[in-house]
Amino acid sequence: MSHPTVRGVVVLTRNGDHFGYAQNPYNYQSSHTECTPLGEVQAYELGQLLRDKYFTTSSPSYIKNIDPDLVDLDQVQIRIKNGGEGRVVFDSTIALLQGLFPPSKKNSIELANETLVVAPLGGYQYVPAETVEPSNDRSLESWTDCPNFEKHTKEFYSSDDFKAAERHASRFFAAANDFLFGHPAGLVNAYNVYDFMNHQLTHNKSYAHRLPPTFIEQARHWANFHEQGVFSDKQMAGIGNIAARTLMQAVISSLQRITYDGDPVQFILHSTTYQPFISLFNMTEIPKEDPSIYGIPDYASALAIELRRGSLPDNRDFLRFMYKNGTGDFLPVHVFDHKGDVPLTEFIYRVESSVIANSKQWASTCGTVPPITLDGTDVTVQVTSAVAHCAVLAVILLLFSTLFSFVRHRRQSSKRIRLPATAQESLQHAPEKPRV
């Protein structure tokens, strides 16, 4: 059935190319990194592609009634992961927004004296973005500081499948050791091995001339095996899918906002890293239909979830999933073995039981003390605030106690009989009475 009308789109994007980077293979704490100019170009081109597809009136996927020229801040929401390697995600998103909303002469204002003032840089559009901090919102980074996820990772490393793969991969990692310049080798460090090789191959000419054929392909293969095993689970609600289980709440909320006629938002972008892609694809069974969608998505990849309105007599809302892996165009992918668009209600019904909806549920899933309350207030802040309030109260009580003692002392002193100074002097100099 044809569903031609695009009511809105929820987009999940991965960051662009970055400088040297490593992450702990047990708890996934990451080192600092920044976006390279290449990564910014990759993200910028992704923004241009999204603009051509969803903000151009001649496009068959044009979002109905969305402003095609200037960004309408009521229609657009941008969310950026700010945990771990958050700097590269932020820079990538800003570059993407430059391609999505390029400078326009229409970004201008006419003054009272009829002078036309165009915004700087030829009408540059300033698009606000929300940075999502893991300390108060786990939707875009839920796998760090999670004891049960770390347990899941260790169990994967001790599994028969991993040990068999480790034996099979040992020859490659032994040979690759000469090209890692002291970085740890081995299947446990497969992602770091691939990321280092890929970065050097892209930016270091002498390294690119020396790296043997097929090494980068083998490194990518083992990194895909590693990350797929860590960020997936046999059960939809399994801990291995936690990266998508928290993101799914944000996705569902975004889709519900678009369907609600009272909310003007029509384009919501969640900018993050590669981990949620793997979990989301695993949860929705996309690789079953297309095995090429497996493992780590390339830089500047994107998944666009289009909310489309059906034609009469079935004018329900449907979802169409469009995926772009690195360079190239968006292609349709199908969830839950559907050969076409999936009804919104069915999609929500299938995934909602596995969704981690708030920080309390995240803490319960991870087996940790809830770091934040349901209203988003940090417990640490609450405790600190309570201690501060107690300290202030103690000081106030002490002051009242001191004041009360002082007043009581004054009252007691005032009750004593005090003679005038002259009378006291007279008593001091008066002759003693004779004893009888």
Side-chain angles (χ1 to χ4, degrees), residues 8-281:
V9 182
V10 179
V11 182
L12 174 67
T13 64
R14 189 199 170 185
N15 58 274
D17 177 66
H18 54 68
F19 287 104
Y21 168 76
Q23 58 188 5
N24 187 308
Y26 291 95
N27 60 21
Y28 276 80
Q29 297 295 334
S30 59
S31 66
H32 174 78
T33 186
E34 296 183 13
C35 198
T36 67
L38 171 62
E40 292 167 354
V41 169
Q42 292 168 338
Y44 176 79
E45 291 176 348
L46 172 58
Q48 288 182 313
L49 191 60
L50 289 169
R51 177 172 182 79
D52 291 341
K53 189 172 183 64
Y54 297 118
F55 288 81
T56 303
T57 55
S58 59
S59 169
S61 299
Y62 167 69
I63 301 174
K64 184 180 180 181
N65 298 326
I66 204 162
D67 194 318
D69 298 314
L70 299 179
V71 57
D72 184 335
L73 300 183
D74 291 329
Q75 295 179 329
V76 174
Q77 182 186 20
I78 310 297
R79 302 176 74 244
I80 306 174
K81 170 191 165 182
N82 199 33
E85 64 276 40
R87 176 65 181 271
V88 68
V89 181
F90 181 85
D91 291 347
S92 297
T93 309
I94 298 304
L96 184 153
L97 293 174
Q98 291 174 346
L100 185 59
F101 301 108
S104 173
K105 297 293 183 181
K106 293 183 179 181
N107 190 14
S108 60
I109 188 170
E110 185 176 345
L111 305 183
N113 62 3
E114 298 184 354
T115 300
L116 183 67
V117 179
V118 179
L121 303 175
Y124 184 91
Q125 301 192 58
Y126 299 86
V127 184
E130 172 192 354
T131 56
V132 181
E133 313 285 343
S135 59
N136 55 38
D137 187 335
R138 281 287 177 175
S139 60
L140 297 185
E141 185 181 306
S142 53
W143 54 93
T144 56
D145 302 316
C146 180
N148 285 342
F149 182 76
E150 293 178 25
K151 179 182 177 182
H152 155 80
T153 302
K154 292 177 181 178
E155 290 174 350
F156 172 60
Y157 294 159
S158 62
S159 67
D160 292 340
D161 288 344
F162 188 88
K163 290 179 179 178
E166 196 170 35
R167 289 191 296 270
H168 187 60
S170 60
R171 185 175 178 181
F172 163 71
F173 285 109
N177 202 43
D178 292 338
F179 299 90
L180 297 179
F181 306 151
H183 290 77
L187 189 57
V188 168
N189 288 286
Y191 177 84
N192 291 331
V193 169
Y194 167 70
D195 191 79
F196 177 80
M197 280 191 176
N198 186 55
H199 178 78
Q200 294 297 321
L201 188 64
T202 304
H203 298 280
N204 187 333
K205 182 186 292 186
S206 62
Y207 188 93
H209 290 173
R210 292 180 57 241
L211 189 68
T214 76
F215 267 44
I216 191 63
E217 289 81 7
Q218 292 185 71
R220 175 64 181 258
H221 169 78
W222 293 118
N224 283 341
F225 169 81
H226 184 280
E227 298 306 296
Q228 187 73 30
V230 171
F231 288 98
S232 65
D233 205 292
K234 293 180 181 179
Q235 304 297 323
M236 181 184 291
I239 189 67
N241 286 329
I242 192 170
R245 291 174 61 194
T246 50
L247 174 68
M248 198 65 76
Q249 174 62 27
V251 170
I252 293 174
S253 176
S254 298
L255 292 170
Q256 289 173 334
R257 288 188 62 191
I258 294 172
T259 59
Y260 176 54
D261 292 334
D263 194 328
V265 71
Q266 291 182 272
F267 184 89
I268 301 176
L269 185 141
H270 303 280
S271 188
T272 183
T273 45
Y274 70 87
Q275 294 90 342
F277 283 86
I278 299 175
S279 296
L280 190 148
F281 291 155

Side-chain angles (χ1 to χ4, degrees), residues 310-322:
S311 303
L312 291 174
D314 188 7
N315 63 339
R316 293 179 296 164
D317 288 317
F318 291 81
L319 300 180
R320 182 174 299 176
F321 290 75
M322 305 293 293

